[in-house]
Amino acid sequence: MAKQRATITDVARAAGVSKGLVSFALNDRPGVSPETRDRILLVADELGWRPSVRARSLSTDRSFALGLVIARDPEVMSGDPFFPAFISGIESALAPAGQALVLSVVGSEADEEASYRQLSDHDRVDGVILTDLRRDDPRIALVARLGLTAITIGHPDVPSDLPSVNVEDTPGIVAAVEHLIALGHRRIAHVAGPSRMLHGVRRSVSFTNTMHSHGLDGGLIIETDFTAAGGARATQLLVALADRPTAIVYSNDVMAIAGLGVAARAGLSVPRDLSITGFDGSDIGAHLFPSLTTVTTAVQEWGRQAAGLLLRVIAGETVDDIELPPARLVIRESSAVAPIPPTPTAAL
């Protein structure tokens, strides 16, 4: 039989005081002498008393939960290591604070509004984290209309008073392209994320601008949906070109890993025939053969800082945006010197 949870009544009986006094002491309210407060806290600790989230919610009109709505196919998301790492970071901040995460994964952006309305209408969360910001993102205005406290991951491109946690990804793409150029690559392609997503746009623009700054054509870009299947299809198109690229910069690790497989099936050796770089710095990339050159960001820290920032906003604190260290390039085995073009055979 499971041991029953200690209650305030149990603490009051053991400490020889009223339940009201115990409640005041446990909630750090005035009206309790320091000696009595210390005795009550000691008894509560000895009995293993822990606050009930349900009771706290009823007494404070708080949910003690944060919301995260992700508009991606659940099957696709399960194969992307970014979100598990990001959610792990969020949980690392919530657990010590006695908070919970309410996660909603919807299949399309069209279903998002309903999810946010449910979170608001049923008072399920005290605030939400907006991720995967999009062009003219309607969620900025939506959370304001719903009265939801919120923060954003990244800076929106529409007017916003919401605090944000930011990682500058441009330096990572610039470093990846310049790394490949330094290795002698001139025909470089980019497998991009959706242009409706701000980080997809930033990475594509950074790729094109860096190529142009070196006098190279930056127009060999294929837009995808950030999935492994999308990355595979884009790679198949690129390696089938008569003038195929000697290097491909992918907008995430999932697509880059899929690209490694496509290249091998096409008879290409990575990195002898084709160099590949990813983005996100997922752990699996270090254990592939060849190991993946990638742009890394502190994904778990991103989640931890986002949850911490939202909790401070909910508590009524004045906060500033958080700028995390920019993305950086990690060079591994999947990038190498560009292959030497074959010398044309002279006519006899």
Side-chain angles (χ1 to χ4, degrees), residues 282-304:
S282 55
D283 289 341
I284 189 64
H287 302 286
L288 299 172
F289 181 75
S291 56
L292 183 64
T293 293
T294 187
V295 175
T296 185
T297 59
V299 179
Q300 284 184 306
E301 182 64 10
W302 210 345
R304 190 181 72 81

Side-chain angles (χ1 to χ4, degrees), residues 48-335:
W49 177 88
R50 295 293 180 269
S52 164
V53 172
R54 182 178 180 184
R56 291 167 68 198
S57 298
L58 291 173
S59 64
T60 62
D61 197 28
R62 288 269 307 277
S63 301
F64 295 98
L66 305 185
L68 177 65
V69 180
I70 301 174
R72 297 205 185 187
D73 186 314
E75 291 187 9
V76 170
M77 200 188 83
S78 66
D80 187 341
F82 175 87
F83 280 106
F86 181 70
I87 292 169
S88 173
I90 292 175
E91 292 285 10
S92 72
L94 296 188
Q99 306 277 332
L101 177 65
V102 177
L103 175 64
S104 178
V105 180
V106 295
S108 69
E109 295 168 8
D111 296 328
E112 278 185 313
E113 181 170 339
S115 293
Y116 285 112
R117 288 191 180 280
Q118 286 180 355
L119 293 176
S120 174
D121 292 346
H122 299 290
D123 296 322
R124 295 186 63 193
V125 298
D126 298 316
V128 294
I129 299 171
L130 303 183
T131 187
D132 277 346
L133 291 182
R134 301 186 288 272
R135 289 180 170 181
D136 301 319
D137 203 313
R139 293 174 297 172
I140 306 301
L142 175 64
V143 295
R145 290 197 304 272
L146 296 176
L148 278 172
T149 302
I151 66 148
T152 63
I153 301 299
H155 294 294
D157 66 348
V158 294
S160 171
D161 295 327
L162 303 180
S164 62
V165 179
N166 310 289
V167 174
E168 182 56 59
D169 47 13
T170 295
I173 293 292
V174 171
V177 175
E178 292 190 335
H179 164 65
L180 294 169
I181 292 173
L183 291 171
H185 295 275
R186 297 297 178 266
R187 177 82 167 152
I188 305 174
H190 179 48
V191 175
S195 58
R196 70 183 185 282
M197 291 187 179
L198 294 185
H199 58 301
V201 174
R202 282 196 308 271
R203 294 172 193 179
S204 294
V205 170
S206 299
F207 170 82
T208 300
N209 289 345
T210 306
M211 291 288 284
H212 287 170
S213 70
H214 288 271
L216 300 173
D217 179 10
L220 190 53
I221 298 175
I222 297 181
E223 181 179 330
T224 71
D225 56 1
F226 274 135
T227 66
R233 285 191 296 269
T235 309
Q236 289 167 348
L237 292 172
L238 291 170
V239 300
L241 294 173
D243 184 19
R244 64 172 176 78
T246 62
I248 304 176
V249 173
Y250 292 83
S251 198
N252 71 4
D253 280 359
V254 169
M255 297 193 296
I257 292 169
L260 285 171
V262 170
R265 290 188 183 91
L268 299 176
S269 173
V270 176
R272 186 188 64 202
D273 303 316
L274 177 69
S275 285
I276 284 177
T277 70
F279 197 110
D280 283 336
S282 55
D283 289 341
I284 189 64
H287 302 286
L288 299 172
F289 181 75
S291 56
L292 183 64
T293 293
T294 187
V295 175
T296 185
T297 59
V299 179
Q300 284 184 306
E301 182 64 10
W302 210 345
R304 190 181 72 81
Q305 291 285 356
L309 179 64
L310 183 52
L311 289 175
R312 293 197 296 276
V313 174
I314 292 168
E317 297 181 22
T318 300
V319 300
D320 295 318
D321 292 348
I322 295 176
E323 301 290 337
L324 296 178
R328 62 183 181 85
L329 181 67
V330 176
I331 299 172
R332 298 195 183 114
E333 298 169 338
S334 67
S335 56

Side-chain angles (χ1 to χ4, degrees), residues 25-49:
L26 295 177
N27 289 287
D28 199 24
R29 294 178 181 172
V32 186
S33 69
E35 296 80 9
T36 302
R37 186 188 310 276
D38 289 344
R39 179 160 54 89
I40 291 172
L41 294 178
L42 178 61
V43 169
D45 185 62
E46 290 175 345
L47 293 177
W49 177 88

